Each structure stands twice: as C-alpha cells, then as structure tokens.
Amino acid sequence: MQRLYQDGSAKIRLPAVQGDPLEAVLINTAGGMTGGDRLGWTIEVGAEASASITSQACEKVYRAAADRAETNVGLRVGPGGRLAWLPQETIVFDRAAFARTLDVDLAEDAEALVLEATLFGRLAMGERTVRGSFHDRWRVRQGGTLVHAEDFRIGPDIAATLRRPAATGGALAVATLLLVSPQAESLLEAARAIIGDSAAGGGASFWSVGRSGKLLARLTAGDGYQLRKRLVPLVELLNGRAGLPKLWSL
C-alpha cells in the first residue's frame, strides 16, 4: 500500500494477510445513512497489483425526512492489475431516498469483479420497504472504452413495482455481479449452475469486449439469507484464488 486517506465517518482498515491480494475493509462509523448524507470511496490499484475490498457490515439507508443519501464510488485499476469490489448488502428502509454511482476505470489488460447487492426490507425483522426512491448507476470503462453501463431506478411505490413479473415478482433481495476478465467466458456455465434456472430468480450472460470479456450475473431472492445461499458460492467462483472475503458468512 502506498497511500491511505480517510475523513469523517468513512474509515478503512487493512487486515493482515499473507501475499496477494491486499484486503481492505470499509467502515461507515455513522452506523448508516439518511437524507443529506454523502459518502465517497476511491480505490486505486497499481500496475500488476491486486486488491479485495469489502465492508465491515451491511450499509443501512434509513428513512429520509428531506433530500437523499448519496454514495459515490470510484475504482481505478492499472495495467495487469485486478480489483474485487465486494461490499456487503445495502439495506434500504421504508421511505428511504438513496442514489449510488459506481465509476470503474480499467487499464486495457486489467481485471475487475464488481458486486452490489440490495435488500428492500428484512423479512426476519418484520420490515418491508413500501415507498421510497433508489437509483443505482454504473459506468465501467476498459482502456478508455465504455464496456458496461446501467441505471436501475425504482420508486416512489417500491413494493408495487417489485411485485411486477418484469421486475422481481415480489422478491425483496437483488444482486448484480460483473466480472471483466479474459477468463469470464470459461466461468459462464459454472455460474449458471450456481444461479439455477429463471424460476430460481436470476441468470448470467457473457459478451466479448475488446481483448477481454464480461460476465454479468443477476440474482433475486425472497430475503437476504436466500440471496446469500447462491451469492456466496458465486463470489467464490468468480473471485478465483482470492475466494470470499473473510467477513462474509451465511
């Protein structure tokens, strides 16, 4: 590690590990976010280096009295480098307002594994997200070329929208996992075996992008536990020898 800067409620801890990849744990000491909060993370991985980034716990987005909470993530990976962005789930509470942007800039031969998972309520706690607003924006570039872009926006009637067959069919837990790597295509069938058929909630596809490739997987589930039952082995598969972050568990 060459440089570490932290400010406000955003803290970073580096557990002792043997060899690659470097592991970093992100902590929001405020205990959650609400309207008007702003949180930013910037991660830069140098040439031929590797890093695995996770969070200490699930991020909680609480009811907003006014304005919205925002998280901005910038990820940069140098030539021959690899980054795994694997935060634990974001829990969106009823009447929360939240926007997240994720900008990834990869060198032409760099690799990245990027995950974001979201829970719209927690059934075990008797919580449901009925109304609110949520916006997730991704932009991923490799060698200066845009290779992946998406915007997911839901609200103000979140529960009604999720019940639609074209959305999640009522599932409250969703995850998107993107792998940009020359090895992506070789992992597609194994990823599909973990995810299951469309009735299980989810799917995976592969595209060639330049001299590399991208595997995009989406999962939906009735609650966070059911989501993790498939998400954990999927992360282990796609993250190679680095495997699952130590803080993750079922």
Side-chain angles (χ1 to χ4, degrees):
M1 185 190 69
Q2 293 184 339
R3 184 164 61 94
L4 169 65
Y5 173 80
Q6 54 190 8
D7 187 33
S9 65
K11 306 298 181 184
I12 304 174
R13 295 295 179 264
L14 303 170
V17 296
Q18 297 293 328
D20 287 336
L22 173 75
E23 291 188 8
V25 179
L26 309 181
I27 305 170
N28 177 8
T29 59
M33 302 181 69
T34 188
D37 288 345
R38 304 288 185 267
L39 187 63
W41 303 105
T42 300
I43 309 294
E44 297 184 4
V45 177
E48 304 297 331
S50 59
S52 180
I53 314 298
T54 189
S55 57
Q56 182 188 41
C58 295
E59 183 66 274
K60 299 177 179 65
V61 185
Y62 297 107
R63 177 174 179 168
D67 203 353
R68 67 182 185 182
E70 296 182 1
T71 295
N72 298 295
V73 179
L75 308 176
R76 309 286 181 266
V77 187
R82 190 181 195 278
L83 172 65
W85 172 259
L86 303 169
Q88 299 191 59
E89 297 91 337
T90 297
I91 302 173
V92 180
F93 286 79
D94 191 36
R95 299 188 180 276
F98 181 60
R100 177 171 57 210
T101 61
L102 183 66
D103 288 297
V104 184
D105 188 0
L106 308 174
E108 190 171 358
D109 61 346
E111 300 180 31
L113 176 63
V114 180
L115 165 69
E116 288 292 357
T118 306
L119 309 181
F120 293 98
R122 299 180 296 182
L123 291 183
M125 305 296 290
E127 301 164 351
R128 286 185 174 274
T129 305
V130 179
R131 296 186 64 82
S133 68
F134 177 87
H135 182 202
D136 204 13
R137 179 186 185 275
W138 294 30
R139 296 294 184 269
V140 182
R141 292 174 173 82
Q142 187 172 40
T145 300
L146 184 66
V147 297
H148 184 78
E150 65 173 83
D151 278 77
F152 172 65
R153 190 189 300 267
I154 188 170
D157 197 341
I158 292 177
T161 303
L162 290 177
R163 286 195 294 268
R164 297 174 183 173
T168 69
L172 303 181
V174 299
T176 297
L177 192 57
L178 174 70
L179 174 65
V180 179
S181 167
Q183 286 74 48
E185 186 174 14
S186 66
L187 298 171
L188 179 60
E189 292 307 316
R192 285 175 170 170
I194 292 171
I195 296 169
D197 58 25
S198 59
S205 299
F206 168 83
W207 296 263
S208 294
V209 288
R211 293 187 299 173
S212 186
K214 72 172 184 178
L215 186 157
L216 180 67
R218 300 193 194 277
L219 295 88
T220 63
D223 58 32
Y225 177 74
Q226 295 300 321
L227 181 71
R228 280 211 177 192
K229 286 175 65 176
R230 289 178 295 152
L231 188 57
V232 163
L234 187 58
V235 169
E236 289 178 319
L237 169 73
L238 299 183
N239 204 25
R241 62 185 178 85
L244 193 71
K246 293 179 176 61
L247 288 176
W248 278 63
S249 68
L250 281 174

